[in-house]
Amino acid sequence: MFSIDSSINQGARLLFNFGNSTCAPLMFTSPQDELLACRNGAWLGCFLTLSPVYDISGPDVVKLMNYVSVNRDYAKLKVGGSRHTILCNEKGQMLADGVLMRLEEDLYRSYWLAPVLAYYVETLGFNVQGKWVYDEFFLQIDGPRSLEIMEKVSGTNIHDLKFAQHKFIEIKGIPTSIHRLGMSGSLAYEMHGAMKDIDTVYNAIVEAGQEFGIKRLGLVNYCRNHTQGGYPNQYIHFYYPFLINGEGMKQYVLDHMGYNVQFGQYKFYGSASDDIQNAFVTPFDVKWDYLINYDHDFIGKEALLKLKENPPRTVVTLEWDAEDVAKVFASQFMGKDIAPCDDISRVADGALTDPFVISKVIKDGSMIGVASGRLKDFYHQKMISLAFIDRKYANEGEELSVLWGTDSNTAMPIKVTVARFPYFNEEYRNETFDVEKIPHPNFKK
C-alpha cells in the first residue's frame, strides 16, 4: 500500500495498518463530512489502489473469458473499452464481479476478478498467461464538481468522455488513464497510473479541487457509498461462495488474497447469518441479469437458464423506521436485567472495520429475503439498506420488517419500507447526467 510518510497519509485522523511499514488513510474528518462531499462538491479517495489487478493475455484469452464469464462475446470488446464482468459457479451464484479492460488485441486487465480468474487461468488449460499487477495506482473522484476538477488539473477538456469509457490525459506531465465510473451514484471518474507517481497525481488533484470544495475520503467511508448509490458490492452486501466451491479453488483463493485475508472466512453477523447461503447472490438478485448472454457455453449457464424462467429475488432499497431503530439503540441502556440487542449505532455495516451483517426480511411472519449494507444516509437523513427479496414484494411503499440481531433471544423487528432503487437518483446521476450542463473549460493557450 502506501508508506507511512506518503503524502496520502498526511492529515489523516486514523490509519489502517497493512504491516511492513505500509498503511492507508482510514478517515480524515468525519463520516458525515466526507460522505456529503459527493453531493455538494467532490471527494477524492485512494481505496481502489487496494484492488486486486490481474492481466491476462495469449491466443485463447477470448475463449477463456467467454467460458468463465456470463457476458457477451469478448471478441466484440474494442481495444480501449471496458465491461462489467461476472463469473458464476455451476449454481449460478456469483464467484466474482469487477471490471475488465481491453488494453491490446490479446491483453486484458481485470479489477476484482482475481483470484478466481487467476485460478481459472492456471487450472483450465487454455493457452493464456496471467500476471498480477502491483505497480498501478487507482484513484477515484466522485461528486458534481469532479469534472471541473479533473479538467483543471489536467488542462484537458474531458466533456467528451461518456459513462464507462476511458481516455488518456496528463497530470503534472504524468500519463494517466481517466475512466468515467464511480460508486456514489454521482458524476465520477477513476484515474490509473504508475504507482511511483501516486503522490504527485493525488496532491495535484487535491490542490486543483480546493476551490470546488474537495474532501479527502478515507478507506472506511469509501465502503459506505455503495448502498446509497445503488451498487450492490462484495463484502458489503453479499459474499462469494469461493470457499465452498471446491477444495482447489478454496485453497488457491486463501493463498492469494493478500491484504484481503480477513475476507477469506465466513464470519457473518445478523439474524440471517444462521445459513451462509443467505450471503450469496445470483445476477438476478442484484439486477445484473441483463449482462448475461446465453448464445455460448459458460460456467453456470444451465442454472441461470432455469432461474431466468422465474427469478425468485431482486434488489431493493429499504428505508428503516426511525422509531424502531431508536428502540433497538435504547435497548443498550435498559439496565442489567434487560439483554440488549446488537449495536445499531455504527455508521454502516460491511467491509474493512465494519462487520458484515445480513438480516432476515419478514412479511406476515415469513422470511422473504435478506437485508445488508445498512447505512446512516447523511444526505437524505434516513437509515437505509439494500435487500434481496421475493419479487412479489419489490414494490415501492411495500411495508416489511427486518429482524435485527444475531441472537434470536434478543433480536428485534424493525419496520422497513421498500423505497426507490437506486436511492440516489438525482440530477448528477453518473449514468445519465448530461455534462454539457457544465461549462467547458477556457484554457489559455
Side-chain angles (χ1 to χ4, degrees), residues 35-54:
L35 290 170
L36 285 176
C38 67
R39 305 294 173 230
N40 53 36
W43 54 247
L44 177 65
C46 63
F47 176 91
L48 290 175
T49 300
L50 280 68
S51 302
V53 183
Y54 185 78

Side-chain angles (χ1 to χ4, degrees), residues 237-409:
H237 301 103
F238 59 85
Y239 261 62
Y240 298 129
F242 42 51
L243 297 185
I244 56 173
N245 202 64
E247 194 60 33
M249 179 177 288
K250 173 184 177 180
Q251 194 56 52
Y252 188 91
V253 168
L254 290 176
D255 290 343
H256 291 82
M257 290 198 78
Y259 58 83
N260 278 328
V261 69
Q262 67 265 39
F263 301 136
Q265 55 184 318
Y266 295 145
K267 189 175 182 180
F268 307 149
Y269 301 88
S271 58
S273 65
D274 56 350
D275 183 352
I276 62 171
Q277 291 292 329
N278 289 332
F280 309 141
V281 296
T282 74
F284 293 96
D285 296 336
V286 293
K287 289 188 177 178
W288 294 343
D289 52 293
Y290 69 93
L291 295 171
I292 306 173
N293 189 288
Y294 297 99
D295 67 358
H296 64 289
D297 290 328
F298 59 86
I299 299 172
K301 178 179 179 179
E302 184 176 344
L304 292 170
L305 279 171
K306 290 181 180 179
L307 286 170
K308 183 182 178 183
E309 296 175 4
N310 186 26
R313 300 193 305 179
T314 190
V315 63
V316 298
T317 307
L318 298 180
E319 288 182 351
W320 294 37
D321 182 79
E323 292 186 2
D324 282 357
V325 170
K327 291 177 183 177
V328 171
F329 180 71
S331 72
Q332 300 174 83
F333 313 107
M334 297 295 186
K336 291 184 177 181
D337 295 334
I338 304 295
C341 190
D342 288 2
D343 183 18
I344 201 169
S345 64
R346 295 182 304 274
V347 174
D349 300 322
L352 286 180
T353 60
D354 301 319
F356 180 77
V357 180
I358 185 166
S359 304
K360 294 179 180 179
V361 180
I362 308 295
K363 179 70 174 183
D364 297 330
S366 298
M367 179 179 171
I368 62 161
V370 295
S372 54
R374 181 199 59 89
L375 168 75
K376 292 182 182 179
D377 183 342
F378 298 109
Y379 181 70
H380 299 100
Q381 296 185 352
K382 296 280 189 177
M383 181 82 82
I384 62 173
S385 71
L386 296 189
F388 312 113
I389 65 172
D390 187 321
R391 288 172 178 255
K392 180 170 60 175
Y393 303 105
N395 312 302
E396 283 193 40
E398 187 83 35
E399 295 181 352
L400 310 169
S401 64
V402 165
L403 186 62
W404 177 261
T406 306
D407 187 340
S408 60
N409 295 313

Side-chain angles (χ1 to χ4, degrees), residues 12-259:
R13 291 178 56 189
L14 295 169
L15 296 176
F16 193 89
N17 182 11
F18 288 92
N20 298 320
S21 299
T22 62
C23 55
L26 202 60
M27 188 180 301
F28 287 96
T29 53
S30 69
Q32 183 171 4
D33 187 53
E34 293 180 24
L35 290 170
L36 285 176
C38 67
R39 305 294 173 230
N40 53 36
W43 54 247
L44 177 65
C46 63
F47 176 91
L48 290 175
T49 300
L50 280 68
S51 302
V53 183
Y54 185 78
D55 285 353
I56 54 173
S57 59
D60 289 349
V61 64
V62 168
K63 291 181 181 179
L64 171 71
M65 290 309 305
N66 285 347
Y67 178 64
V68 302
S69 75
V70 308
N71 304 72
R72 64 190 180 95
D73 187 2
Y74 278 90
K76 298 178 180 179
L77 180 62
K78 296 179 180 179
V79 174
S82 66
R83 187 175 292 175
H84 181 187
T85 296
I86 297 175
L87 313 183
C88 288
N89 63 12
E90 294 291 358
K91 294 181 178 180
Q93 297 169 323
M94 287 174 17
L95 281 175
D97 79 282
V99 172
L100 191 75
M101 293 184 179
R102 191 169 193 174
L103 304 182
E104 300 173 12
E105 189 65 24
D106 291 329
L107 175 62
Y108 294 74
R109 176 158 293 179
S110 71
Y111 299 87
W112 292 99
L113 298 178
V116 174
L117 180 57
Y119 173 76
Y120 286 144
V121 166
E122 295 189 21
T123 61
L124 290 183
F126 287 87
N127 187 6
V128 293
Q129 298 78 46
K131 177 184 177 183
W132 291 90
V133 179
Y134 300 107
D135 59 352
E136 179 182 301
F137 73 69
F138 192 166
L139 303 175
Q140 193 170 81
I141 185 170
D142 283 46
R145 311 306 297 271
S146 56
L147 173 61
E148 296 162 278
I149 295 170
M150 293 313 301
E151 289 186 328
K152 177 181 177 181
V153 73
S154 66
T156 304
N157 188 329
I158 57 175
H159 271 66
D160 62 325
L161 197 58
K162 305 300 182 183
F163 180 76
Q165 292 184 349
H166 74 274
K167 63 190 288 186
F168 286 92
I169 58 176
E170 286 191 358
I171 298 176
K172 294 289 186 179
I174 296 169
T176 306
S177 170
I178 184 167
H179 198 190
R180 185 173 163 183
L181 281 177
M183 286 297 126
S184 71
S186 184
L187 182 64
Y189 299 87
E190 298 175 350
M191 285 68 68
H192 304 254
M195 190 65 181
K196 64 182 179 61
D197 298 320
I198 187 170
D199 278 21
T200 301
V201 172
Y202 182 89
N203 290 337
I205 297 172
V206 170
E207 182 179 353
Q210 292 305 304
E211 66 174 290
F212 302 102
I214 197 169
K215 298 287 185 179
R216 299 163 69 193
L217 186 82
L219 268 63
V220 67
N221 287 324
Y222 175 82
C223 297
R224 295 165 175 169
N225 282 274
H226 301 67
T227 295
Q228 189 187 78
Y231 296 111
N233 200 261
Q234 65 265 47
Y235 313 128
I236 300 172
H237 301 103
F238 59 85
Y239 261 62
Y240 298 129
F242 42 51
L243 297 185
I244 56 173
N245 202 64
E247 194 60 33
M249 179 177 288
K250 173 184 177 180
Q251 194 56 52
Y252 188 91
V253 168
L254 290 176
D255 290 343
H256 291 82
M257 290 198 78
Y259 58 83

